[in-house]
Amino acid sequence: MDDLPGGWTPEVVLGGQPDRVVVRARRPGEAPVVIKATPPAADWSSRAALRREARLLQAAQGDGVVRLVDILDRHGCTAIVLGFVPAGSLADSPAPDPDLVVAHLTATVDRVRRLGVAHGALHPEHVLLDADGHPRLCGFGGAHQTTSPDPDGPALAALIRTVRSGS
């Protein structure tokens, strides 16, 4: 993807699917960001799904969640601009301090649930580690609004076992 909305220049493709791409990008003189964007000619359902993800991510903003920088909807392209978390995910490497990661993850998932949002896809690749080893949840594509008392409980328990096992 060569043309991103908002004047961002792509640096590297981090992943994607047929209906969206995830890239690290930057603007001159600014810190890098991660942009999840639909292609310019994406159908309405792909764009609507990304807007829905952005709304739920916005509702979950706070400690332990990747920072939402902007939501762009221009020229047939919808994009979510996120703060770049440089240390990678739990899928890439084990937690440097498993007890710290478990404590922060548990608090974050509980805080997000109290805001009425279930993450819906708690997996190691959706837990980014910042430079201090603190986890940041990302990947809110499977998120949904909830009133359930523990919608992510089984997934969180499995993620905690993964963190504690070191793999």
Side-chain angles (χ1 to χ4, degrees):
M1 174 171 262
D2 295 329
D3 188 28
L4 293 171
W8 297 99
T9 301
E11 293 182 329
V12 64
V13 174
L14 301 173
Q17 301 168 350
D19 65 341
R20 66 189 66 181
V21 65
V22 180
V23 299
R24 187 181 68 216
R26 73 170 67 228
R27 291 191 285 211
E30 294 187 30
V33 295
V34 171
I35 299 179
K36 183 185 283 190
T38 61
D43 64 24
W44 68 269
S45 63
S46 296
R47 295 182 67 203
L50 199 53
R51 284 191 294 270
R52 181 184 155 284
E53 180 178 347
R55 281 193 308 276
L56 290 166
L57 179 58
Q58 191 169 33
Q61 282 297 275
D63 190 40
V65 174
V66 69
R67 184 173 57 93
L68 178 64
V69 175
D70 203 357
I71 303 166
L72 305 169
D73 210 352
R74 300 182 184 132
H75 311 294
C77 178
T78 299
I80 303 173
V81 182
L82 307 166
F84 178 65
V85 181
S89 76
L90 287 177
D92 300 328
S93 60
D97 183 343
D99 292 334
L100 173 79
V101 169
V102 166
H104 280 270
L105 275 176
T106 303
T108 298
V109 170
D110 183 58
R111 181 187 64 75
V112 169
R113 181 205 43 86
R114 284 185 278 113
L115 293 170
V117 177
H119 185 276
L122 292 176
H123 305 293
E125 60 271 13
H126 291 153
V127 180
L128 304 176
L129 298 172
D130 68 16
D132 296 325
H134 294 103
R136 302 280 179 250
L137 286 180
C138 68
F140 278 74
H144 56 278
Q145 292 184 307
T146 186
T147 57
S148 173
D150 195 13
D152 287 316
L156 178 60
L159 186 56
I160 288 170
R161 284 191 298 275
T162 299
V163 170
R164 289 203 167 128
S165 73
S167 54

